[in-house]
Amino acid sequence: MTENVLPASELYTDEFAADPYPAFAELREDRPVCPVSSPRFDQFLITRFDDAKAALNDPRLSKDLYGPEQHFLRIFGPNSEAINKNMLNSDPPEHSRLRRITSRAFAPRRIEALRPRVAEIVAELLDKVVPQGQADLMHDFAIPLPMMVISELLGIPAADHDQVLAWTQVIRESGSSGRPPAEERAAVQEAQLQLHQYLAGVIQAKRALPPADDMISSLIEACDQDGQLSERELVSTTFLLLFAGHQTTADFIGNAMVALLTNPDQLELLLRTPELLPSAVEELLRFDGPLPIASPRIATEDLEYRGVHIPAGSIVGVAINAANHDTAAFADADRLDLTRERGPHLGFGHGVHYCLGVTLARIEAQLGIGALLRRLPGLRLAVPVNELRRLPAASPFRGLIDLPVRFDA
């Protein structure tokens, strides 16, 4: 890192966890490329839209964390190598090979065919909630919905869903338990280890059975018959699809509902005109997305953004949520406007790492949010918005720990 590093104590505060956008606005204005320290790792933070878009597609910013420098050790910890060696943390041509294999399962036509099943899961979850007049929308709906969908797609047995979810939540909620940092890191490492062992066991069990119509079976075929995947890549790719396939969607649904419930004019507009829902999902994602900062990139050579020197080997963070509030790209960017003309937000990324599951995420969000508004009349927060419990400020995710609401049963 260089001089003038912004210390973690000035950025990653409770106020930032509740509302990061004022701090992002200051950085965009005064220090659009800023070296920042954090409880996780130090990085250069890029906050303006044009710079962010360029950085997400800059081949000098590598996603391969498993080269000779083994950057994954300082970012993810020692147990992470077994489950993080996948397309998210790789560059072309390895990324292209891994994405090509997994993209078959996410073909838009195939995913669109899942819409009725997603609607069934939405209805099943809300059938349990509707009679109660109150709910925790995170644990009762936003988290289980995408978890059930991606688990069925992967072919994870239904009896194991709760245990798998428990392990992923340890990773998601890292830093929020109040435990000492060493204990927290140990808990995350143990959850990663348990997930790796579990997924390896599922793969072994599926190998002993006739091929099924699920993603894990397709990946096994790519590994065993075609030799396109190594065993390590097989387990790691399964983990990526499981975790990324539910985590961001769950956090997005929670964030979106808070945005609507705290902007009553936009909520009323959507209730009156539900046909706005597809474009509303895009605006809600721009307004308060679940990944405030894109997954880490490594500078492979000395480079410069906005006149700031970034030495080779530095970690670079692209602040997606900051870029999506850049007034140079979006008029009145801090205002939620569900009638906003659909623009090129960065909520699904950009470049070769553009979100593979975009079609599925949109279907889950559209059906989930639409059903919540339709089936829970008089929906309102059960606590003041400033009392909502959020993930820690330095978390890689922007999401809620819980979301208590009331409605007219």
Side-chain angles (χ1 to χ4, degrees):
M1 299 292 280
T2 64
E3 297 179 357
N4 301 317
V5 175
L6 183 66
S9 59
E10 291 187 18
L11 182 62
Y12 296 108
T13 63
D14 290 342
E15 291 76 16
F16 183 86
D19 181 5
Y21 298 103
F24 280 150
E26 288 185 20
L27 288 176
R28 278 197 312 272
E29 180 66 24
D30 301 329
R31 306 182 68 183
V33 181
C34 179
V36 175
S37 67
S38 89
R40 300 180 67 228
F41 48 81
D42 297 340
Q43 63 185 319
F44 284 82
L45 206 58
I46 294 176
T47 53
R48 290 186 182 173
F49 185 88
D50 287 347
D51 297 333
K53 188 175 181 180
L56 289 172
N57 206 30
D58 190 335
R60 301 172 300 172
L61 294 175
S62 170
K63 293 298 302 293
D64 184 4
L65 307 182
Y66 295 88
E69 299 299 322
Q70 293 189 311
H71 296 287
F72 75 92
L73 283 173
R74 58 174 163 151
I75 295 174
F76 299 125
N79 279 1
S80 67
E81 184 174 10
I83 58 175
N84 281 313
K85 179 65 173 174
N86 49 50
M87 63 182 175
L88 179 64
N89 299 310
S90 62
D91 297 325
E94 285 297 287
H95 170 268
S96 304
R97 173 179 63 86
L98 294 169
R99 186 177 177 106
R100 184 169 57 251
I101 294 167
T102 54
S103 64
R104 301 168 190 164
F106 284 94
R109 182 177 299 179
R110 179 176 182 179
I111 295 301
E112 274 294 336
L114 294 173
R115 192 178 285 268
R117 177 57 186 144
V118 176
E120 286 180 2
I121 295 174
V122 167
E124 291 168 6
L125 291 170
L126 286 181
D127 285 345
K128 300 175 183 177
V129 167
V130 166
Q132 300 174 13
Q134 60 183 3
D136 175 352
L137 286 190
M138 291 306 296
H139 292 277
D140 294 337
F141 186 79
I143 292 173
L145 168 60
M147 183 66 184
M148 292 171 69
V149 172
I150 194 62
S151 294
E152 289 189 9
L153 275 173
L154 286 169
I156 291 175
D160 298 342
H161 289 184
D162 288 346
Q163 178 58 75
V164 172
L165 180 59
W167 286 322
T168 63
Q169 289 303 98
V170 170
I171 300 171
R172 171 183 179 263
E173 296 184 7
S174 174
S176 65
S177 68
R179 291 178 295 196
E183 290 185 19
E184 193 78 357
R185 285 194 297 271
V188 170
Q189 294 294 306
E190 178 63 20
Q192 291 175 334
L193 179 61
Q194 293 291 335
L195 270 169
H196 178 270
Q197 292 176 343
Y198 170 78
L199 293 173
V202 169
I203 290 167
Q204 183 179 7
K206 283 184 175 292
R207 278 196 169 110
L209 300 171
D213 185 21
D214 58 51
M215 289 185 183
I216 293 180
S217 295
S218 296
L219 293 173
I220 290 172
E221 181 179 356
C223 178
D224 295 352
Q225 296 184 18
D226 302 332
Q228 298 179 63
L229 281 177
S230 69
E231 192 70 22
R232 177 180 165 190
E233 290 169 338
L234 171 59
V235 178
S236 181
T237 297
T238 302
F239 169 77
L240 174 64
L241 295 175
L242 171 68
F243 197 83
H246 83 275
Q247 172 62 63
T248 51
T249 302
D251 284 334
F252 169 57
I253 291 174
N255 293 349
M257 294 309 299
V258 172
L260 290 170
L261 294 174
T262 54
N263 288 272
D265 61 322
Q266 296 302 293
L267 174 60
E268 178 60 30
L269 173 64
L270 192 53
L271 288 170
R272 288 198 319 266
T273 52
E275 62 271 18
L276 282 177
L277 194 54
S279 60
V281 164
E282 303 303 316
E283 170 65 357
L284 288 161
L285 182 60
R286 180 203 69 82
F287 184 74
D288 198 14
L291 284 177
I293 300 172
S295 54
R297 285 158 167 77
I298 307 296
T300 58
E301 59 185 75
D302 288 358
L303 49 87
E304 186 175 290
Y305 271 79
R306 293 279 170 185
V308 175
H309 176 68
I310 301 177
S314 300
I315 300 176
V316 176
V318 180
I320 292 174
N321 282 8
N324 280 340
H325 277 242
D326 190 342
T327 54
F330 304 96
D332 203 4
D334 289 331
R335 184 170 70 89
L336 180 67
D337 179 4
L338 301 187
T339 63
R340 187 185 300 273
E341 185 175 345
R342 185 164 168 175
H345 67 74
L346 299 177
F348 289 116
H350 179 68
V352 297
H353 285 279
Y354 186 77
C355 177
L356 183 63
V358 58
T359 302
L360 181 60
R362 282 174 170 148
I363 289 172
E364 291 172 334
Q366 291 169 15
L367 293 177
I369 294 170
L372 286 170
L373 299 182
R374 187 173 63 253
R375 296 195 60 188
L376 306 183
L379 187 62
R380 57 201 181 274
L381 293 175
V383 299
V385 66
N386 61 356
E387 293 182 13
L388 291 173
R389 296 194 306 153
R390 286 196 169 272
L391 297 176
S395 171
F397 312 108
R398 174 158 171 78
L400 295 143
I401 295 175
D402 41 40
L403 178 50
V405 297
R406 294 192 178 94
F407 49 89
D408 302 330

